[in-house]
């Protein structure tokens, strides 16, 4: 191999109360994909932020092309040819997709003073075309779903033509087709000699894309492995320090279970068309579909987060009127959002408060006083139960790693103890160990008689957990499969049953 | 095992955390202490019982307003109407007592009720009509200002025949010596502050106040009727403004319908000097009180030193910036 | 038949003094069967806002105009426009630096404040420290009253020292706290002059709260129920009153006379009075006090 | 195939989008139009050339201030110092011309330079010292207020010997008839608005202004020196404030050192009425101009109708709320 492009030696970084990186080493060669894995809070993002100039190291050395470099700010990193896609979206919601991509590098018109909006849009369109992404460059970022926003982030990072490209969980909001496109791009870049640092919690991706894998644990370097010389189990055991038992796939439930939730004829604009389904007590009902299929919309509509045009909802056989999330929660429905930063947590508040947020009624005592002890007890229990990594219950959520934030949201709904729980992408950004924990948690909840509705874009996850699977496409329910009949192929077929295609097929049969 | 380890470090860190927090709290006073020491050295007339009481009294009305609006600012809102709303509550109280000859306690209830209604209305405009708080409360500012003048016929309403009313602010439950009487207004101020601090930190209402300021949508999606709570916060602030209205009317023995405009900025300034962020989600009552005291101490001290007024203004500006900068440095650590 | 319309643009409207002027103007309007409006900006610093008011008033095609200029030079172009349209202009409260106004109905604030200084000197036996709270450091009335008082003390009473002059925006509460700080800073203070109603009440409150009643001579300005009560109770030694109702009345009266082509003097001095415990119930004084 | 289909619908949506946008823009004027029509029907004196010009003249200074502070509000900041800063620029200009006998153009440059320095200072406090904009500019407010009084010795400085200075605002490049002369102040206002609109929408500076308001951290992570640009925005607003200072001084033929306090609120109100969000990231110059016109038309119209002043205040409050609510309904669609 050639000379390493980046070498990190003995790097240390601390935050108040957290020694996030302890004597980390790391190296990166041109033309390789070097994957970084580790549990939530292992320090992966922190290391990347040090390399890209967002944080300053406390001690240690970073060598670029063999020479020590200082990276005081993101601009310096850019100048050194280091480009990063952050784990959290960093986009300007009020600007268009194209404007976001070219922020700081806007092309000017002939006068050299004014922005050349047409060129910006054209260039962005070209980039989108290259990646086969269907986004109008002129649309405001805030109006896109997070999956599309993530695509814009990726395009932006790519557009820098960097020597080092860091991708911190780029695929967590993407579906399989999009991930495939991304991998195509990554391979392409690798062949051009770009060095890529790749972070992901999706274990299946590791062996498809990486050349080498570095494992981190608790802020420490564990090992670096060549892909050809190791296997998944080994990596996982290095990551979590123990082996992980994989839960067995679900079997069908008896048909005679009582129905907990029934939705009839739900309509909402163009997003939802005639959604009807039932969910039984003790059942995990999977919702599958491609990005933008309307699963989130359906869950939000049932939960009262968005107004509906028509439709009826029955809980435990009784018709209920849900106009506002508080109605839903009152009827025992909880909703764990896919976009935790925007809809799930208050980043400025601490673990304790966030986890009690949905149950404040229960924690309110005499004269409106908060029962602090009870909250603390509940929070403590759930921090332990979900192994949430936090220095204290008073730590603000913004200082937790992404995966741990997600666990706090789960804790919030567990503490609420709802009968019906919507989990929208519950394992997004969660490490493999925690994922297993969440899976067994979902099973436990179902066994305890809760009704779980799980929306997920990871088919293996859907297949493994669901008793029954509902597939959506373009705002409609296109089919329902029992656990025994479900396969990846059948789900994908239903998930791509577009209305236009259905109509065309119908027409053809008529002609015949 | 891993869990045990985490718990252990947690304990250790927690101690470090609380003690540094305690230090932080003490340091929060530093600007104020520097001011007091500075003025005391500069003039022998400053650090006198009578003057300290005068400072406290001068802080009282602004302090109470600041405590009220602090709640709203913590939710991420703002209330520009508190000054003129205070006037309206004072006028309504006077109207009830002087013109309708109702008992004094009814007059007090009327003041607070007026505040609750006006505040609640602002809250409805913000929460239900989705008006920006700036506009809703600017409208309420004009509305209450005009209404005060109309109701009072642009003339003060005097409490001359109700000496007891004056005692609400200026009487003294705690008289130590002839020279050292703490006027009730100051006690009311501290009482409002303490009760508010308890409400803000110990009740569900307070929790929601912070939570809404931190991420309103997340709170709504946790099944909480955020609209209702926002209205409650504005109404609660209105109630506190009603208390301020009673305090000022009783101190002046009259409801002055033309006064009030501009008081909102002083109150908001106290809140922000006290470290509450205008973008919501954080803030303390203690900070607000310190902020209010910094303003009044500064004003009083510069006057005691007989600094010419224009230089007072310049100096106040500079010192406020400096005080807040000190506070920011303290927090950064 | 349409009544003649005469707008009065004043320097303010919320304060009692202006309300009294308005009251006088309304009385005259009733007596002479004309319609008036009375408007003024919120603060006496808002020169341009007053000009916008003046220009809106002219748009209403008035028969005549009453005007109390915040800054007479700034208003000149509009006054010229009024003159060109044959709209007689009557100045009130303080003079307009121009010969366009046919007359000026005002108090001589300098003389009035100087008289307050004389009374102060008399009450403190011509020696000691005195302080002044004025409502505004840039408005004409503020400047005139401050200078009238301070200059008279300087000119005639060498043993009296004006130790502090500060400004309280006419705000009762702020002036109270201000007065207390001044008293604190000058423990030997003998006398205190408050140059308008809000300032006077502030001074009176301050003296009271600092428990200095009887030790500090308080002289106020203007009237109002609280000042009258304070004088009766001995909390305030005396005060200057202008004749605001008279100012308002005369302004409208002169405007009507001008429209009829009648003659009247170039300056209508509406006068001022010093009132204290002894003469407060005098009908002549009572007539110019407002409650 | 799928791509082609999407592209097609996209195109269709775009047309619908642009046309609905155009409709939106026209509808933005609706509150203003309703006001104008209403007042015209209510009084024959309202819709007269002279009065319309008076309205425009009354809008000019506030409008220019609003355009300036709009930039800052779009970045998510606020500037409470623009009113008194305007005064300081006017005083400095007068100082240069009247007292130092410098040529008029130097006086104008001095005004703008003063604005840039003061604005830049606020910017440094916000960007570098990380002071909340509210505090930094409140400090600057007091600072400039005091300084104006000190420099001008609390007395107006008159331009009596410089009639040309008065012509800057009050002369008329476009004289149609004797009655229908558009004063230069109005032209300057429109010029400032147009130039600002171009800068805001067509230049890098404008782009960063929006971007910082939308997500400052993201901009910083994109390798942009956000501090520098924020300082630039405050300094730019200062320059515009300097223009406003020249306009008001030349309109009044004098620099009035006590004027200015409270003007910032009017300007900010115009910005918010015009649909700029106080939390940053969005806003237009056109909206701001409409906002400024709504305020001045309302004020003028109510005066023309001889509504008693206290009722004017109440009505203004109600109509502002209503106008903004209309605008919110329009956007929601
Ligand atoms: N700004 C910060 N202040 C305080 N603590 C922080 C900060 N950023 C990260 N941490 C802490 O540092 C540790 C490492 O966090 P980091 O985000 O690097 O984890 P990660 O490996 O990326 O995890 P994930 O897979 O969940 O994204 C965590 O314990 C986290 O709580
Ligand atoms: N904030 C938004 N603004 C505009 N359109 C949106 C928004 N959120 C969702 N949509 C649109 O609504 C439709 C349904 O999206 P939704 O997020 O419900 O899909 P999903 O099946 O949950 O997919 P995902 O896996 O991305 O969550 C899509 O066409 C999407 O583009
Ligand atoms: Mg991470
Ligand atoms: Mg979704």
């Amino acid at each position: 191999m050639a000379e390493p492009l980046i070498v990190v030696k003995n790097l240390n970084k601390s935050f108040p109360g957290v020694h996030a990186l302890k004597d980390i080493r790391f190296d990166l060669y041109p033309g390789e994909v070097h994957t970084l894995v580790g549990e939530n809070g292992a320090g992966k993002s922190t290391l990347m932020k040090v390399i890209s100039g967002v944080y300053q190291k406390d001690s240690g050395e970073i060598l670029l092309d063999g020479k020590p470099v200082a990276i005081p700010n993101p601009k310096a990193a850019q100048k050194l040819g280091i480009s990063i896609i952050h784990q959290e979206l960093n986009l300007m919601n009020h600007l268009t997709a194209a404007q976001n991509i070219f922020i700081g590098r806007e092309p000017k018109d002939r006068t050299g003073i004014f922005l050349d909006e047409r060129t910006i849009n054209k260039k962005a369109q070209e980039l989108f075309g290259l990646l086969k992404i269907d986004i109008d460059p002129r649309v405001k970022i805030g109006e896109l779903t997070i999956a599309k926003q993530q695509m814009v982030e990726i395009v932006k990072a790519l557009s820098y033509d960097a020597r080092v490209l860091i991708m911190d969980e780029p695929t967590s909001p993407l579906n399989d087709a999009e991930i495939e496109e991304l991998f195509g791009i990554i391979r392409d870049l690798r062949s051009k000699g770009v060095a890529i640092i790749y972070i992901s919690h999706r274990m299946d991706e590791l062996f498809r894309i990486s050349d080498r894998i570095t494992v981190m644990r608790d802020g420490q370097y564990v090992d670096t492995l060549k892909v050809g010389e190791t296997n998944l189990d080994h990596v996982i055991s290095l990551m979590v320090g123990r082996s992980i038992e994989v839960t067995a796939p679900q079997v069908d439930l008896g048909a005679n279970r009582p129905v907990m939730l029934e939705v009839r004829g739900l309509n909402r604009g163009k997003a939802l068309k005639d959604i009807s389904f039932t969910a039984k007590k003790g059942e995990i009902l999977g919702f599958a579909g491609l990005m933008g299929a309307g699963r989130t919309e359906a869950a939000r509509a049932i939960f009262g987060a968005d107004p509906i045009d028509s439709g009826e909802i029955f809980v435990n056989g009784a018709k209920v009127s849900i106009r506002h999330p508080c109605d839903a929660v009152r009827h025992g429905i909880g909703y764990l959002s896919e976009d935790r930063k925007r809809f799930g947590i208050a980043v400025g508040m601490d673990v304790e408060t966030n986890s009690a947020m949905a149950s404040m009624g229960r924690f309110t005592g005499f004269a409106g006083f908060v029962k602090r002890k009870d909250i603390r007890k509940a929070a403590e229990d759930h921090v332990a139960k979900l192994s949430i990594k936090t220095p204290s219950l008073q730590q603000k959520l913004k200082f937790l790693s992404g995966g741990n934030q997600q666990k706090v949201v789960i804790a919030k709904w567990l503490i609420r103890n709802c009968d019906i729980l919507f989990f929208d992408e519950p394992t997004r950004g969660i490490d493999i160990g925690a994922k297993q924990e969440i899976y067994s948690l979902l099973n436990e909840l179902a066994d305890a008689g809760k009704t779980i509705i799980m929306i997920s874009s990871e088919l293996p996850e859907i297949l493994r957990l669901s008793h029954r699977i509902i597939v959506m496409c373009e705002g409609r329910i296109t089919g329902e499969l029992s656990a025994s009949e479900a396969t990846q192929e059948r789900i994908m077929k239903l998930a791509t049953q577009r209305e236009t295609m259905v109509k065309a097929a119908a027409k053809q049969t008529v002609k015949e | 095992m891993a869990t045990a380890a985490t718990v252990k470090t947690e304990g250790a860190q927690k101690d470090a955390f609380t003690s540094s927090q305690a230090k932080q709290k003490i340091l929060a006073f530093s600007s104020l202490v520097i001011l007091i020491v500075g003025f005391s050295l500069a003039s022998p007339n400053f650090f006198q019982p009578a003057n300290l009481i005068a400072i406290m009294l001068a802080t009282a009305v602004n302090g109470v307003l600041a405590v009220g609006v602090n709640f709203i600012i913590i939710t991420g809102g703002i209330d520009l109407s508190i000054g003129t709303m205070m006037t309206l509550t004072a006028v309504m109280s006077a109207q009830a007592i002087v013109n309708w000859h109702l008992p004094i306690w009814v007059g007090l209830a009327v003041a607070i009720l007026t505040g609750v209604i006006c505040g609640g209305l602002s809250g409805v405009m913000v929460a239900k009509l989705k008006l920006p708080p700036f506009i809703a409360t600017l409208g309420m500012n004009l509305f209450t200002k005009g209404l005060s003048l109309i109701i009072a016929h642009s003339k003060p309403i005097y409490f001359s025949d109700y000496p007891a009313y004056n005692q609400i602010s200026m009487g003294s439950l705690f008289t130590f010596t002839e020279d050292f009487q703490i006027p009730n207004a100051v006690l009311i101020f501290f009482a409002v502050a303490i009760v508010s601090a308890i409400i803000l930190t110990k009740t569900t209402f307070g929790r929601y106040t912070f939570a809404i300021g931190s991420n309103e949508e997340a709170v709504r999606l946790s099944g909480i009727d955020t609209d209702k709570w926002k209205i409650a916060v504005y109404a609660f602030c209105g109630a506190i403004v009603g208390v301020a209205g009673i305090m000022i009317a009783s101190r002046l023995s009259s409801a002055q319908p033309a006064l009030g405009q501009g008081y909102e900025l002083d109150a908001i300034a106290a809140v922000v000097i006290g470290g509450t962020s205008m973008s919501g989600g954080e803030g303390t009552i203690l900070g607000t009180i310190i902020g209010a005291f910094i303003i009044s101490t500064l004003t009083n001290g510069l006057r005691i030193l007989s600094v010419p007024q224009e230089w007072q203004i310049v100096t106040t500006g500079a010192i406020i910036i400096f005080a807040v900068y000190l506070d920011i440095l303290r927090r950064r650590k | 038949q349409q009544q003649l319309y005469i707008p009065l643009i004043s320097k303010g409207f919320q304060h009692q003094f202006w309300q009294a002027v308005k009251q006088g103007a309304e009385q005259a309007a009733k007596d002479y069967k004309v319609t008036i409006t009375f408007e003024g900006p919120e603060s006496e610093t808002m020169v341009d806002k007053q000009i916008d008011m003046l220009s809106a008033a002219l748009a209403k095609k008035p028969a005549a105009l009453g005007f109390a200029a915040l800054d007479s030079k700034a208003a000149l172009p509009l006054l010229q426009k009024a003159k060109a349209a044959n709209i007689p202009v009557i100045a009130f409260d303080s003079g307009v630096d121009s010969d366009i106004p046919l007359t000026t109905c005002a108090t001589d604030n300098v003389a009035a404040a100087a008289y307050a200084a004389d009374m102060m000197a008399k009450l403190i036996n011509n020696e000691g420290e005195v302080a002044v709270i004025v409502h505004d450091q840039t408005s004409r009335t503020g400047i005139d009253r401050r200078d009238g008082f301070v200059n008279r003390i300087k000119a005639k009473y060498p043993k009296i020292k004006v130790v502090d002059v500060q400004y309280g925006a006419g705000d009762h509460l702020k002036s109270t706290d201000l007065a207390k700080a001044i008293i604190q800073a000058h423990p030997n203070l003998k006398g205190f002059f408050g140059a308008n109603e809000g300032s006077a009440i502030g001074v009176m409150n301050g003296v009271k709260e600092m428990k200095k009643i009887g030790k500090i001579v308080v002289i106020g300005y203007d009237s109002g129920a609280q000042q009258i009560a304070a004088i009766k109770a001995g909390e305030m030694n005396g005060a200057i009153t202008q004749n605001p109702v008279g100012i308002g009345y005369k302004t409208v009266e002169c405007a009507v006379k001008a429209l009829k082509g009648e003659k009247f003097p170039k300056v209508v001095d509406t006068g001022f009075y010093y009132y204290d415990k002894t003469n407060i119930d005098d009908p002549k004084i009572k007539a110019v006090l407002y409650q």
Side-chain angles (χ1 to χ4, degrees), chain A residues 15 18 20 39-46 55 87 169 201 395 399-404 429:
Chain A
F15 298 109
V18 183
E39 287 180 296
N40 295 130
K44 305 180 296 292
S45 301
T46 306
Y55 292 154
Q87 180 175 10
E169 298 196 39
H201 288 297
Q395 183 77 329
F399 299 131
L400 293 195
S401 78
N404 283 306

Side-chain angles (χ1 to χ4, degrees), chain A residues 91-97 100 139-145 149 342:
Chain A
L91 294 165
M92 285 74 66
N93 281 341
H94 300 88
L95 303 193
T96 67
N100 264 282
V139 73
K140 292 225 167 102
I141 285 290
E143 289 164 14
L144 295 175
T145 55
Q149 295 185 1
R342 247 163 79 195

Side-chain angles (χ1 to χ4, degrees), chain A residues 145-146 290-297 299 335 337-339 424-425 428 455-457:
Chain A
T145 55
I146 41 171
L290 298 180
M291 178 199 83
R295 295 162 300 168
T296 298
E297 288 264 334
Y335 169 64
S337 161
E338 61 178 346
D339 188 344
D424 196 349
E425 312 283 0
R428 178 172 286 173
I455 302 171
S456 171
S457 301

Side-chain angles (χ1 to χ4, degrees), chain A residues 15 45 72 97 176 247 286 292 385 401 427 493:
Chain A
F15 298 109
S45 301
D176 290 341
T247 45
K385 188 168 175 185
S401 78
T427 61
K493 199 164 165 224

